[in-house]
Amino acid sequence: MRQKRKRTRVRLGPFLWLLLVVNTAAGLLFSPITSIARVWVDGAKPFDQPRLSRILGGLQGVPCALVKPREVESAVMSLPEVRSAELTRNIFGSARLTVRYRRPVARVRNTDNLALTIDGVLYPANELPEELPILELPRGEPHVYATIAAPWRSVAIADLAVRARESWPKEPLLIQVDDRGSVCLNIGTGRVVLGSPTDLGKKLGILQERLEKNPAELSNVAEINLTAPENPSIIRKKSQVP
């Protein structure tokens, strides 16, 4: 006798429920009910608020699912001063933009607004603190975004700017970099030759020790040379040379 084949019943219930959930979710995401009505901004600087308002104005009334965060973030980061931007949104009509700006540690000499960041990047800034150290680059050195291929070590120089300002918070500071990448630190009217930007922590430590023992040393000599920190030397002013 031929055996009867068992019929397999297709259970449509779970599939119908899944389709219902997907359809409902899609309807909510694309529905005008989820349109962006409020945008919160964290970290915006006052000078940048009008620009951000123009960018974010395009989000008003756009359903949540149609908002393209990467496009908005890219527009926000078109300003070189912006380091990062992140946009989040939800189906309840709210969005939040978080903006982070570059941290300047030195201002490039003879420029209106070119600054060096803590991570060694040069960028044009809209505003800079007055107390920043001044940075003098080699002649003809390309400026913006050229630090990777530059003959000077931008990250080390940025670190020097931070350390020097912390050590001498009220003194005018000038950091000079020559064509070979050699560095000089000018503190007020005093000049300190640091040579290559290596062992900067050690060189500055020795300088601080000398100035603690003799606070007037920088003003009494023409130059302190710390190229070889274990064997520092000084050049006396012409009036002091016998």
Side-chain angles (χ1 to χ4, degrees):
M1 293 180 61
R2 297 173 60 184
Q3 294 182 349
K4 294 183 178 180
R5 294 182 179 178
K6 294 183 179 180
R7 294 182 178 181
T8 301
R9 294 183 178 180
V10 178
R11 300 178 61 187
L12 295 178
F15 292 101
L16 293 176
W17 277 109
L18 178 61
L19 289 174
L20 178 62
V21 171
V22 171
N23 187 59
T24 303
L28 284 174
L29 289 174
F30 289 93
S31 170
I33 298 176
T34 67
S35 295
I36 302 299
R38 298 176 302 278
V39 182
W40 310 98
V41 181
D42 293 333
K45 291 187 176 182
F47 79 84
D48 199 24
Q49 289 176 359
R51 184 185 73 96
L52 296 178
S53 295
R54 290 192 297 271
I55 294 174
L56 298 175
L59 299 180
Q60 297 293 329
V62 178
C64 176
L66 296 180
V67 173
K68 298 179 180 178
R70 297 299 171 264
E71 290 185 2
V72 176
E73 293 164 0
S74 179
V76 172
M77 292 183 65
S78 65
L79 183 71
E81 201 146 0
V82 177
R83 181 176 183 179
S84 66
E86 182 181 10
L87 180 71
T88 58
R89 79 280 194 210
N90 57 48
I91 63 173
F92 303 108
S94 295
R96 182 177 296 274
L97 175 68
T98 303
V99 185
R100 297 289 181 266
Y101 295 85
R102 300 186 186 277
R103 176 190 169 189
V105 296
R107 179 199 301 264
V108 178
R109 193 174 194 177
N110 297 326
T111 66
D112 293 331
N113 63 346
L114 197 60
L116 179 69
T117 70
I118 184 65
D119 47 359
V121 174
L122 289 171
Y123 75 102
N126 282 272
E127 60 179 21
L128 291 172
E130 291 294 331
E131 69 275 8
L132 288 179
I134 303 299
L135 173 61
E136 185 177 288
L137 294 175
R139 289 179 297 175
E141 173 66 21
H143 288 158
V144 183
Y145 305 127
T147 54
I148 294 178
W152 55 285
R153 296 176 56 184
S154 60
V155 175
I157 299 302
D159 181 61
L160 172 61
V162 173
R163 290 172 180 265
R165 178 47 72 208
E166 290 175 350
S167 298
W168 297 278
K170 297 182 180 180
E171 292 286 347
L173 298 176
L174 170 63
I175 300 171
Q176 296 173 301
V177 184
D178 66 18
D179 297 336
R180 299 168 299 172
S182 185
V183 181
C184 287
L185 172 63
N186 299 270
I187 306 171
T189 59
R191 177 178 174 83
V192 183
V193 178
L194 298 174
S196 64
T198 57
D199 297 325
L200 289 176
K202 181 177 182 179
K203 293 173 182 178
L204 289 181
I206 290 174
L207 177 61
Q208 288 178 310
E209 290 177 3
R210 293 178 67 94
L211 295 181
E212 287 175 1
K213 295 176 181 178
N214 183 7
E217 183 176 25
L218 272 178
S219 58
N220 291 335
V221 300
E223 179 180 288
I224 299 177
N225 192 313
L226 294 174
T227 301
E230 299 84 0
N231 187 29
S233 62
I234 63 172
I235 297 178
R236 298 185 181 277
K237 294 181 177 180
K238 291 184 179 179
S239 59
Q240 297 177 340
V241 177

